[in-house]
Amino acid sequence: MFLVSFISDYFLILFFKERELLVAKILGVIAFVLLIFLPVTLIVAGQLGLLKGSRPNDLGLKDGLLKPPIVKSWNVVSSHAEKQAHTDYHTIAPLKYSGDAQTAFTKLETIVRAMDGASIITNQGSYLYAEYQSSLFKFVDDVEFVLDESAGVIHMRSASRLGRKDFGANRARLEAIRLAMGG
């Protein structure tokens, strides 16, 4: 009887140890995928330009307003959002300036041009369109500014091309520009 009990206990211990080893191996594979494989894959994809998205063809002013935000996406902020379908996340105040409007817009262009990852695509007097590319993953955000001389403000919009959330990156960018403008 003792021998039977010993043998059954031995096999139970082996069974549980093998099960624990299997669980440990599965957890190891999951950890490898999450901590090494996915980040490396994203970095490689970014460096190959696979995460930049396509340049939108519907930017600029339409009926006096910049492109509206997509209500169920939290990856865009706009000073025109209050005049369009939006959530509170999408709204941001326009840039206020004092003095000459063209001087303020030239200062804005200088600030944008000096920012990391920025490339000015269009500068048409009172409209400025720039792309910002992140350094690691090479994500591209589209940023627009339009001068409203009669209101004494520069309206602005910043939107991520990919994804539904930007984790505050677009707002932070525009607030950094506001700060550099002196506001």
Side-chain angles (χ1 to χ4, degrees), residues 133-153:
Q133 187 174 66
S134 66
S135 58
L136 186 59
F137 296 117
K138 306 296 184 194
F139 291 118
V140 176
D141 296 340
D142 298 293
V143 183
E144 301 175 276
F145 301 93
V146 63
L147 180 62
D148 184 349
E149 286 188 61
S150 63
V153 297

Side-chain angles (χ1 to χ4, degrees), residues 79-149:
S79 60
H80 279 152
E82 289 185 355
K83 299 176 183 178
Q84 302 159 322
H86 71 283
T87 67
D88 289 342
Y89 182 86
H90 298 114
T91 61
I92 191 167
L95 295 173
K96 294 181 181 176
Y97 65 87
S98 59
D100 180 63
Q102 285 304 317
T103 302
F105 209 69
T106 301
K107 180 178 180 181
L108 171 67
E109 178 190 0
T110 303
I111 291 166
V112 168
R113 194 176 300 280
M115 293 178 78
D116 287 342
S119 298
I120 294 180
I121 306 304
T122 305
N123 185 355
Q124 299 172 333
S126 63
Y127 175 77
L128 180 70
Y129 165 48
E131 294 176 345
Y132 284 79
Q133 187 174 66
S134 66
S135 58
L136 186 59
F137 296 117
K138 306 296 184 194
F139 291 118
V140 176
D141 296 340
D142 298 293
V143 183
E144 301 175 276
F145 301 93
V146 63
L147 180 62
D148 184 349
E149 286 188 61

Side-chain angles (χ1 to χ4, degrees), residues 12-70:
L12 280 174
I13 290 169
L14 282 178
F15 171 75
F16 283 112
K17 283 191 176 189
E18 285 182 23
R19 190 171 176 193
E20 287 174 6
L21 286 173
L22 179 62
V23 169
K25 285 180 182 179
I26 290 171
L27 290 176
V29 168
I30 291 171
F32 172 78
V33 168
L34 292 177
L35 298 175
I36 297 172
F37 181 74
L38 284 177
V40 169
T41 302
L42 282 172
I43 291 169
V44 169
Q47 297 302 313
L48 292 173
L50 301 175
L51 302 177
K52 68 180 185 176
S54 300
R55 184 176 289 162
N57 57 7
D58 57 350
L59 298 180
L61 290 174
K62 305 284 187 282
D63 299 323
L65 300 174
L66 294 169
K67 183 178 178 179
I70 297 172

